[in-house]
Amino acid sequence: MKTQVGIIGGGPAGLLLSQILHVAGIDSVILERQSRDYVLSRIRAGVLEQGLVDMLRAVDVAGRLDREGEVHTGVNLAFDGRVEHIDLEGLTGGKTVTVFGQTEVTRDLYDARDAMGGTVVHEAADVTPHGFDGGTPSLTYRKDGMEHRVDCDFIAACDGYHGVGRQSFPPGTIREYEKTYPFGWLGILSRTKPVDEELIYANHERGFVLCSMRSQVLSRYYVQVPAAADIADWSDDRFWDELRARLPASVADVLETGPSIEKSIAPLRSYVAEPLNHGRLFLAGDAGHIVPPTGAKGLNLAASDVHYLSEGLIGYYRTGDETGLKSYSERALRRIWKAERFSWWMTMLMHRFPEEGGFGMKVQQAELDYLTGSTAAKTAMAENYVGLPY
Ligand code: APR
Ligand code: PHB
């Protein structure tokens, strides 16, 4: 098989890149190691920056998003028994975020790829990049007991943190920056009315909680738990009791509970690999970086990587200009590090760090009190939360 861009990974980054390239007349093939059902079974965050919404609209994949997505003009911080509203729209001159499940974005991207005759190979095993150091890149993989090969001009590794792309860089060519956090997020999905029209991030001495949603009838909640927490120790009742205990009374009193339809624990990590390319192999999305979910940046960073990489590829195929490809890593990393900083800042501000003791808690309270009382500080938070320019 021959194509122009070989893409490893059929998650949001790989699918969005393939869709943008197709609309620009550039051929690509996606090799995904899981089945489509498996990919679509993943429960992921769903706060979309305007940049991602605009990208989806530009390639005609925003129909359902525009019908069903909920525009949020603000977000809430809860601490010290009170709830403080951050007016995202007012503080950023009109910018907002849209709440629409990442799984739904992925589903719509798959549907668009199918409708445009895109090639997505599922259950492609042992995908391996070759020849990306020189000018003859290719991807090999196994499927149905047979070896296959895709000859291409470029390889985009959109294969997530555990993917093969980054691991294929020659030894010593990648610098890695990492921070792990001593806790995880225990998340629950329930067919209940969200406790508030907007998201609530809560700092409490028992630990962090987040009140989010997928729609007005589907709620998503998270509770900070120790990194070694066992999901078997968390019944629904225990989850709801802990969530209530960490919320201000005004919120806890109106919390609607119900059976969980999904419950899982996710670790928190900050990670960046530099550079994001080696020869004609490019990393995009979680393949190159991971953020703690506190700032809702994971999907949105995948989108800005794809924006920069697609610009470089389109420039190359249209005019032979390699400027965009040569500057991809530097351009993407500048925005990635700002999102890493913001995600780290919100994580450090909102979670309990027992090792920091009472002093750490009081300093967090003081920063939250300052933040919610200062237009300058709220503006800084708001412009990062809605998404910095590409
Ligand atoms: N070969 C083929 N496919 C692979 C391989 C491999 N060796 N390794 C991983 N994959 C596939 C995974 O099965 C997954 O479907 O690559 C895809 C990567 O998708 P994501 O992990 O969703 O990463 P990305 O597309 O960058 O999207 C980032 O998704 O994980 C969330 O929080 C993250 O919101 C962020 C967004
Ligand atoms: C979610 O709805 O899953 C979600 C929302 C905001 C975050 C993280 C997760 O910061």
Side-chain angles (χ1 to χ4, degrees), residues 44-47 185 199 201 210 212-214 220 222 293-296 385:
R44 294 277 170 72
V47 175
W185 279 17
L199 275 61
Y201 292 80
L210 169 59
S212 183
M213 77 276 299
R214 293 290 176 268
R220 181 68 168 166
Y222 297 94
T294 326
Y385 193 87

Side-chain angles (χ1 to χ4, degrees), residues 18 25 56 74 85 102 131 141 179 193 244-245 250 277 282 346 385:
S18 181
L56 291 168
H85 183 251
Q102 175 180 314
Y141 66 96
K179 176 179 180 57
K193 180 171 171 41
R244 263 197 211 90
S250 62
N277 78 295
F282 294 84
M346 266 196 82
Y385 193 87

Side-chain angles (χ1 to χ4, degrees), residues 124-358:
D126 299 331
V127 176
T128 307
H130 306 278
F132 49 85
D133 250 336
T136 55
S138 65
L139 292 168
T140 56
Y141 66 96
R142 265 189 322 101
K143 185 173 171 69
D144 302 330
M146 292 175 61
E147 282 288 328
H148 302 267
R149 173 172 147 164
V150 179
D151 291 315
C152 47
D153 301 325
F154 299 97
I155 297 170
C158 303
D159 49 358
Y161 179 71
H162 300 288
V164 66
R166 192 180 67 248
Q167 296 167 34
S168 300
F169 278 43
T173 59
I174 269 193
R175 292 181 304 281
E176 296 181 293
Y177 304 86
E178 185 165 15
K179 176 179 180 57
T180 54
Y181 300 88
F183 42 74
W185 279 17
L186 167 57
I188 203 168
L189 201 60
S190 59
R191 296 193 197 290
T192 54
K193 180 171 171 41
V195 74
D196 192 285
E197 289 179 353
E198 296 177 333
L199 275 61
I200 301 176
Y201 292 80
N203 170 305
H204 188 275
E205 61 183 353
R206 295 175 66 96
F208 166 82
V209 297
L210 169 59
C211 304
S212 183
M213 77 276 299
R214 293 290 176 268
S215 69
Q216 283 309 306
V217 295
L218 197 57
S219 298
R220 181 68 168 166
Y221 294 103
Y222 297 94
V223 163
Q224 174 187 350
V225 294
D230 183 345
I231 193 89
D233 298 334
W234 283 87
S235 67
D236 286 3
D237 287 347
R238 182 184 178 194
F239 181 94
W240 294 121
D241 290 346
E242 192 59 37
L243 180 68
R244 263 197 211 90
R246 299 184 187 185
L247 288 169
S250 62
V251 180
D253 289 348
V254 297
L255 176 67
E256 182 183 324
T257 65
S260 61
I261 56 177
E262 194 274 343
K263 186 160 52 178
S264 56
I265 296 178
L268 271 70
R269 173 189 293 119
S270 298
Y271 173 87
V272 179
E274 292 189 1
L276 293 176
N277 78 295
H278 184 87
R280 292 189 165 216
L281 172 61
F282 294 84
L283 306 180
D286 276 15
H289 44 76
I290 294 287
V291 284
T294 326
K297 292 300 168 199
L299 175 60
N300 294 299
L301 269 185
S304 50
D305 288 355
V306 166
H307 167 79
Y308 298 128
L309 182 54
S310 60
E311 266 193 351
L313 289 166
I314 292 167
Y316 172 81
Y317 282 109
R318 285 208 173 133
T319 65
D321 178 4
E322 296 192 31
T323 308
L325 290 174
K326 290 186 187 309
S327 62
Y328 164 69
S329 181
E330 181 188 351
R331 288 178 77 197
L333 283 168
R334 284 197 67 195
R335 190 172 192 275
I336 288 163
W337 274 112
K338 290 173 185 165
E340 288 281 349
R341 180 211 66 83
F342 175 68
S343 304
W344 164 84
W345 172 78
M346 266 196 82
T347 301
M348 299 304 287
L349 179 64
M350 300 305 294
H351 290 77
R352 283 298 291 134
F353 292 83
E355 67 279 13
E356 294 297 322

Side-chain angles (χ1 to χ4, degrees), residues 51-69:
L52 172 51
V53 173
D54 293 344
M55 287 173 76
L56 291 168
R57 285 178 179 154
V59 292
D60 198 22
V61 186
R64 201 157 61 100
L65 164 62
D66 285 332
R67 288 192 304 276
E68 300 172 15

